[in-house]
Amino acid sequence: MRVFTASLATETNTFGPMPTGLASFQDRGYFPAGSHPKELSLFAAPLWVAREVAAAHGWTLIEGLVAGAQPSGTTTRVAYETLRDELLADLKAALPLDLVLLGLHGAMVADGYDDCEGDLLTHVRQLVGASVVIGAELDPHVNLSRAMVEQADILVAFKEYPHTDIVERARELIQLCEDKVKGRIQPVHAVADCHMIVPFHTTRDPAKALVRRIQALEGQSGVLSISIAHGFALGDVPDMGTKVLVYTDADPAQAQALALQLAREVIAMREQLAVRYPAIDDALNEALAFDGGPVLLADRADNPGSGASGDSTFILRRLIERGIGNATIGPLWDPVAVRIAFDAGVGARLGLRIGGKIGPLSGDPLDLDCTVKALQHDMVMTGLAGAPAPMGDCALVTAQGIDIVLVTLRNQAMDTDVFTQLGCDLAAYKLIVVKSAQHFHASFSKVAKQVIYVGAPGAATPHVASLAYTKIRRPLWPLDDIATPSLL
């Protein structure tokens, strides 16, 4: 069997302050055809798993482009078209094929393209024809479109948030696609639109129980696969919103009925799924009142994984103004401050202007009297599913009892080693502030005794009512009061 695999992925915050250009992909991971390393990378799990399966089954595996960018603002037209066309050229050179496996995100938006994945899959289908099986793995924060589900034979989204099941879902995708190629199954799909925008923290019920429920349904009575598309609230595009995608074996009526049933269940739990976001001072008061520690404060609105800059100073400023010490915060993106810290050296005491570089939603920069505690060249954080996450040169500086992790490459806190590699003893702090929405949870929950999601200002605000949407299809809860699903 001849199999082609490639990846093109980023998550686009259309309200984000910085465009996503070609350099954004080169910073995070750009691998021309055949050059992807042996290690796993976030959206190349289908390629990574396919290597193992191909070796075992004697498949001919052709590896195309792998390119991924840190979430940010709208992707430039030249970046998307350049990378899309490179991937398509790799695909054309690989023909004839039996199977195409793609690692995508699902919420990539470019100048002139509200649905990059739908556009890419349409071009792939045009190249390979109707008989070749196309499968793709998606992030659950996908803005699932009709073009995506119509052009692909199988789409499988991660089920967990934080995304700890990337490899498992890639294995499922490849098995389903192989079964389709061999004629063992005839997948048909249905999509139910929940008409809402809500996060699914699968670390707690009811989302945790929902994942277990849909996994129990898969593989039974003709149900092949179920994905919950959370949607990406920071993408102002027509397809944004929560949806349920169901594949059954040659039974479209069953797929439709199950998709609508699950959508009704999701709608019924929407109030419980919603996350509480106290304002900064309320969150600090709550954290200080907690008996013991450490208490973790998640700065959702400045999460680089949702397209924010990662350099906001709102929480750090209040810590300093209130005289709260025994705290650490990071990773705060400030390449200029890192460079100065490296020039000064470990042990140096100097004035540093920190954060607040990108725009109003970053807050004002802070001028602090800092001591450089630790430096590390080319630090690599442990990312999702163990994939390496480069952070660039990093510095740990301290000011007024607060340890600040400064990084050169923008990324969210996903593993405690973004702190511990610089010498931080996390268990010794009263407060840990992370630039992250939820991906911190798998690692940091082993240390933190309490987690508070903070409603600070920022480019990745969770307060959707404050966003100036112009393209989304309404009604959408909580912007509108609606509780009836419909088929896409």
PDB file of all heavy atoms in Angstrom, residues 139-151:
ATOM      1  N   ASP A 139      -7.128  18.985  15.879  1.00  0.00           N
ATOM      2  CA  ASP A 139      -7.255  19.493  17.243  1.00  0.00           C
ATOM      3  C   ASP A 139      -8.754  19.657  17.525  1.00  0.00           C
ATOM      4  O   ASP A 139      -9.512  20.027  16.630  1.00  0.00           O
ATOM      5  CB  ASP A 139      -6.544  20.854  17.312  1.00  0.00           C
ATOM      6  CG  ASP A 139      -6.387  21.384  18.725  1.00  0.00           C
ATOM      7  OD1 ASP A 139      -7.417  21.733  19.330  1.00  0.00           O
ATOM      8  OD2 ASP A 139      -5.247  21.493  19.185  1.00  0.00           O
ATOM      9  N   PRO A 140      -9.220  19.409  18.757  1.00  0.00           N
ATOM     10  CA  PRO A 140     -10.650  19.597  19.015  1.00  0.00           C
ATOM     11  C   PRO A 140     -11.095  21.059  18.935  1.00  0.00           C
ATOM     12  O   PRO A 140     -12.299  21.320  18.811  1.00  0.00           O
ATOM     13  CB  PRO A 140     -10.837  19.040  20.432  1.00  0.00           C
ATOM     14  CG  PRO A 140      -9.487  19.109  21.052  1.00  0.00           C
ATOM     15  CD  PRO A 140      -8.521  18.871  19.938  1.00  0.00           C
ATOM     16  N   HIS A 141     -10.143  22.000  18.973  1.00  0.00           N
ATOM     17  CA  HIS A 141     -10.513  23.408  18.817  1.00  0.00           C
ATOM     18  C   HIS A 141     -10.602  23.763  17.338  1.00  0.00           C
ATOM     19  O   HIS A 141     -10.151  24.821  16.889  1.00  0.00           O
ATOM     20  CB  HIS A 141      -9.508  24.296  19.559  1.00  0.00           C
ATOM     21  CG  HIS A 141      -9.477  24.006  21.023  1.00  0.00           C
ATOM     22  ND1 HIS A 141      -8.383  23.452  21.653  1.00  0.00           N
ATOM     23  CD2 HIS A 141     -10.426  24.145  21.975  1.00  0.00           C
ATOM     24  CE1 HIS A 141      -8.660  23.283  22.939  1.00  0.00           C
ATOM     25  NE2 HIS A 141      -9.906  23.684  23.158  1.00  0.00           N
ATOM     26  N   VAL A 142     -11.204  22.880  16.606  1.00  0.00           N
ATOM     27  CA  VAL A 142     -11.387  23.001  15.168  1.00  0.00           C
ATOM     28  C   VAL A 142     -12.674  23.769  14.883  1.00  0.00           C
ATOM     29  O   VAL A 142     -13.675  23.609  15.581  1.00  0.00           O
ATOM     30  CB  VAL A 142     -11.441  21.598  14.517  1.00  0.00           C
ATOM     31  CG1 VAL A 142     -12.436  20.698  15.243  1.00  0.00           C
ATOM     32  CG2 VAL A 142     -11.818  21.651  13.044  1.00  0.00           C
ATOM     33  N   ASN A 143     -12.625  24.608  13.867  1.00  0.00           N
ATOM     34  CA  ASN A 143     -13.851  25.217  13.340  1.00  0.00           C
ATOM     35  C   ASN A 143     -14.333  24.317  12.200  1.00  0.00           C
ATOM     36  O   ASN A 143     -14.035  24.544  11.030  1.00  0.00           O
ATOM     37  CB  ASN A 143     -13.560  26.641  12.856  1.00  0.00           C
ATOM     38  CG  ASN A 143     -13.082  27.535  13.979  1.00  0.00           C
ATOM     39  OD1 ASN A 143     -13.615  27.512  15.078  1.00  0.00           O
ATOM     40  ND2 ASN A 143     -12.050  28.319  13.720  1.00  0.00           N
ATOM     41  N   LEU A 144     -15.049  23.275  12.572  1.00  0.00           N
ATOM     42  CA  LEU A 144     -15.373  22.199  11.637  1.00  0.00           C
ATOM     43  C   LEU A 144     -16.295  22.693  10.529  1.00  0.00           C
ATOM     44  O   LEU A 144     -17.375  23.229  10.786  1.00  0.00           O
ATOM     45  CB  LEU A 144     -16.035  21.048  12.392  1.00  0.00           C
ATOM     46  CG  LEU A 144     -16.172  19.728  11.634  1.00  0.00           C
ATOM     47  CD1 LEU A 144     -14.807  19.125  11.338  1.00  0.00           C
ATOM     48  CD2 LEU A 144     -17.007  18.744  12.467  1.00  0.00           C
ATOM     49  N   SER A 145     -15.878  22.477   9.292  1.00  0.00           N
ATOM     50  CA  SER A 145     -16.623  22.978   8.138  1.00  0.00           C
ATOM     51  C   SER A 145     -17.160  21.836   7.284  1.00  0.00           C
ATOM     52  O   SER A 145     -16.685  20.703   7.344  1.00  0.00           O
ATOM     53  CB  SER A 145     -15.718  23.863   7.272  1.00  0.00           C
ATOM     54  OG  SER A 145     -14.743  23.073   6.609  1.00  0.00           O
ATOM     55  N   ARG A 146     -18.138  22.168   6.470  1.00  0.00           N
ATOM     56  CA  ARG A 146     -18.694  21.190   5.532  1.00  0.00           C
ATOM     57  C   ARG A 146     -17.624  20.712   4.554  1.00  0.00           C
ATOM     58  O   ARG A 146     -17.561  19.531   4.210  1.00  0.00           O
ATOM     59  CB  ARG A 146     -19.879  21.804   4.789  1.00  0.00           C
ATOM     60  CG  ARG A 146     -20.550  20.820   3.819  1.00  0.00           C
ATOM     61  CD  ARG A 146     -21.810  21.390   3.209  1.00  0.00           C
ATOM     62  NE  ARG A 146     -22.934  21.314   4.139  1.00  0.00           N
ATOM     63  CZ  ARG A 146     -23.468  22.362   4.757  1.00  0.00           C
ATOM     64  NH1 ARG A 146     -22.976  23.564   4.576  1.00  0.00           N
ATOM     65  NH2 ARG A 146     -24.499  22.212   5.577  1.00  0.00           N
ATOM     66  N   ALA A 147     -16.765  21.621   4.104  1.00  0.00           N
ATOM     67  CA  ALA A 147     -15.714  21.239   3.153  1.00  0.00           C
ATOM     68  C   ALA A 147     -14.775  20.194   3.763  1.00  0.00           C
ATOM     69  O   ALA A 147     -14.361  19.248   3.084  1.00  0.00           O
ATOM     70  CB  ALA A 147     -14.916  22.466   2.722  1.00  0.00           C
ATOM     71  N   MET A 148     -14.437  20.343   5.026  1.00  0.00           N
ATOM     72  CA  MET A 148     -13.537  19.377   5.667  1.00  0.00           C
ATOM     73  C   MET A 148     -14.140  17.976   5.660  1.00  0.00           C
ATOM     74  O   MET A 148     -13.493  17.004   5.257  1.00  0.00           O
ATOM     75  CB  MET A 148     -13.255  19.793   7.115  1.00  0.00           C
ATOM     76  CG  MET A 148     -12.410  21.017   7.286  1.00  0.00           C
ATOM     77  SD  MET A 148     -12.091  21.278   9.071  1.00  0.00           S
ATOM     78  CE  MET A 148     -11.916  23.053   9.101  1.00  0.00           C
ATOM     79  N   VAL A 149     -15.387  17.856   6.124  1.00  0.00           N
ATOM     80  CA  VAL A 149     -15.977  16.520   6.265  1.00  0.00           C
ATOM     81  C   VAL A 149     -16.352  15.931   4.907  1.00  0.00           C
ATOM     82  O   VAL A 149     -16.374  14.710   4.750  1.00  0.00           O
ATOM     83  CB  VAL A 149     -17.198  16.539   7.210  1.00  0.00           C
ATOM     84  CG1 VAL A 149     -16.762  16.854   8.631  1.00  0.00           C
ATOM     85  CG2 VAL A 149     -18.259  17.517   6.757  1.00  0.00           C
ATOM     86  N   GLU A 150     -16.633  16.775   3.921  1.00  0.00           N
ATOM     87  CA  GLU A 150     -17.001  16.246   2.605  1.00  0.00           C
ATOM     88  C   GLU A 150     -15.785  15.792   1.805  1.00  0.00           C
ATOM     89  O   GLU A 150     -15.881  14.849   1.020  1.00  0.00           O
ATOM     90  CB  GLU A 150     -17.792  17.299   1.823  1.00  0.00           C
ATOM     91  CG  GLU A 150     -19.213  17.507   2.363  1.00  0.00           C
ATOM     92  CD  GLU A 150     -20.009  18.519   1.570  1.00  0.00           C
ATOM     93  OE1 GLU A 150     -19.403  19.219   0.717  1.00  0.00           O
ATOM     94  OE2 GLU A 150     -21.229  18.623   1.812  1.00  0.00           O
ATOM     95  N   GLN A 151     -14.653  16.453   1.986  1.00  0.00           N
ATOM     96  CA  GLN A 151     -13.471  16.114   1.185  1.00  0.00           C
ATOM     97  C   GLN A 151     -12.648  14.985   1.795  1.00  0.00           C
ATOM     98  O   GLN A 151     -11.915  14.298   1.088  1.00  0.00           O
ATOM     99  CB  GLN A 151     -12.587  17.353   0.993  1.00  0.00           C
ATOM    100  CG  GLN A 151     -13.263  18.502   0.276  1.00  0.00           C
ATOM    101  CD  GLN A 151     -13.751  18.117  -1.117  1.00  0.00           C
ATOM    102  OE1 GLN A 151     -13.167  17.271  -1.793  1.00  0.00           O
ATOM    103  NE2 GLN A 151     -14.845  18.736  -1.555  1.00  0.00           N
TER     104      GLN A 151
END
